[in-house]
Amino acid sequence: MSERAPLLEIHDVRKSYGTKNVLDDIDLNVIKGEICTVVGPSGCGKSTLLRLILGQEFPDSGTLLLDGEPIGLPAPDRGIVYQRYGLYPHLSVIDNVTLGPRLSVGWSERRRRRADIRASGLAALARVRLEPHADKYPHQLSGGMRQRVAIAQSLMMKPRILLMDEPFGALDPDTREQMQLFLLELWEEQGTTIFFVTHDLEEALFVGTRILVLSYYYTDDRGDGFARGSRIVSDHQLARIASATQVKHDPRFVALIEQLRRDGFDPDHLQHAKSFNLRHPDSFQTLGEDVHRPPG
């Protein structure tokens, strides 16, 4: 593990629902300015992990810290963008974008700062290239445009970390690729720390500066009948420079996709917990003796 101070710290986190163990001893440090993408098989707990960071749910055990402080209920320091935009259809684009700042102050303060709040909203829309559409309504925009409004809405509150849960999953392939490029342009401009959940390995590798594979396909020393939750079984550092889409056809890019698919998605390929492919400099594990003993 590196000596860089992390923005997000997750230590020994476990989460279950009833008798179902979902997350099993998650350890993760995320440095400011990373785009941390998370992939894994269906039901592995990707969205659960995101909800824990957001504060919508709490772990059964372990700690989650943001800038060294315990994560509590949802707050403006954690922005969120969902797959289905989360925009209010009866509000204009500018009113959707400025909703957070307007609701965070009292009525008289809101009236006094109305012009300033609108100017800030227009500046946010300019950053996502939608300022000319400020007075339109969501139904008048394309899917990609609505998602850009949702991103501007989240950034208005200046979050320390932007959480994205399958943000481009509802878009057609061409629009999805355009949004990937747009997100990278925005990240290069602002350096926002992003935690990005997706089911698409190609998207995760193209967008991320770091990729995490969360999976329940692994083994340890607790026996074949043990109901294991997911762990981070693979953690790779990626390029910190936005690439052209042609990189998706690079043989090394394709080979890494196949390696990650084998590490986290193949039920016949069960790595031992001590052999996880944790190559990122900020990776670490704090596993118990029963888990961390090598096989044999």
Side-chain angles (χ1 to χ4, degrees):
M1 183 172 61
S2 78
E3 298 300 320
R4 299 182 294 169
L7 173 69
L8 174 68
E9 301 172 73
I10 301 176
H11 296 168
D12 300 328
V13 162
R14 299 174 186 267
K15 180 64 178 177
S16 59
Y17 299 104
T19 59
K20 181 175 175 57
N21 191 11
V22 178
L23 298 176
D24 200 341
D25 205 353
I26 301 296
D27 295 308
L28 176 65
N29 282 346
V30 176
I31 303 302
K32 183 178 179 180
E34 293 273 18
I35 304 179
C36 188
T37 55
V38 183
V39 296
S42 178
C44 72
K46 300 185 294 295
S47 293
T48 297
L49 180 58
L50 186 143
R51 289 193 297 273
L52 292 174
I53 298 170
L54 182 60
Q56 283 184 329
E57 299 187 26
F58 294 94
D60 298 337
S61 61
T63 58
L64 293 97
L65 306 176
L66 188 64
D67 268 349
E69 298 293 328
I71 288 177
L73 293 170
D77 58 4
R78 285 149 286 151
I80 180 71
V81 177
Y82 295 107
Q83 183 181 120
R84 290 293 178 181
Y85 322 122
L87 304 179
Y88 290 98
H90 64 288
L91 296 181
S92 67
V93 166
I94 187 65
D95 285 343
N96 267 288
V97 167
T98 59
L99 186 61
R102 287 187 289 117
L103 293 180
S104 66
V105 297
W107 182 81
S108 59
E109 179 75 2
R110 193 182 314 157
R111 280 180 59 85
R112 188 179 68 81
R113 295 182 51 200
R114 181 167 51 190
D116 290 341
I117 291 174
R118 181 177 172 87
S120 296
L122 290 174
L125 287 172
R127 284 198 295 271
V128 299
R129 301 193 293 274
L130 286 176
E131 187 178 7
H133 304 277
D135 295 314
K136 292 182 179 178
Y137 288 83
H139 74 272
Q140 296 174 290
L141 306 180
S142 68
M145 293 167 74
R146 289 195 293 270
Q147 199 60 296
R148 281 152 57 193
V149 173
I151 293 171
Q153 182 186 57
S154 293
L155 293 177
M156 273 291 290
M157 300 304 291
K158 298 181 172 59
R160 296 178 189 173
I161 184 168
L162 180 62
L163 306 171
M164 308 186 82
D165 192 3
E166 299 278 4
F168 309 145
L171 304 176
D172 65 81
D174 287 343
T175 303
R176 185 171 189 155
E177 190 164 79
Q178 291 170 16
M179 286 300 300
Q180 292 167 6
L181 291 167
F182 162 75
L183 182 66
L184 288 173
E185 290 171 8
L186 195 66
W187 169 74
E188 286 196 323
E189 175 191 325
Q190 299 193 346
T192 304
T193 307
I194 300 172
F195 197 85
F196 188 106
V197 169
T198 178
H199 71 276
D200 189 312
L201 277 166
E202 181 184 270
E203 178 173 76
L205 280 183
F206 181 67
V207 167
T209 63
R210 176 183 187 179
I211 186 167
L212 304 168
V213 181
L214 193 64
S215 181
Y216 37 68
Y217 294 133
Y218 66 91
T219 189
D220 50 37
D221 297 314
R222 292 179 289 184
D224 292 339
F226 194 86
R228 297 172 180 83
S230 292
R231 286 204 174 98
I232 296 170
V233 303
S234 193
D235 184 356
H236 288 257
Q237 188 169 22
L238 305 172
R240 293 187 62 93
I241 301 173
S243 303
T245 56
Q246 286 84 352
V247 74
K248 296 179 181 182
H249 306 291
D250 187 299
R252 292 169 297 181
F253 187 95
V254 175
L256 184 52
I257 286 179
E258 291 308 311
Q259 178 186 333
L260 296 174
R261 182 172 286 120
R262 185 166 183 262
D263 285 348
F265 294 77
D266 185 353
D268 295 323
H269 177 65
L270 300 179
Q271 301 179 81
H272 190 274
K274 195 175 182 180
S275 303
F276 289 161
N277 198 351
L278 306 178
R279 297 185 177 183
H280 195 280
D282 299 315
S283 292
F284 70 103
Q285 290 189 97
T286 55
L287 303 180
E289 286 293 325
D290 57 332
V291 176
H292 211 215
R293 262 196 328 270

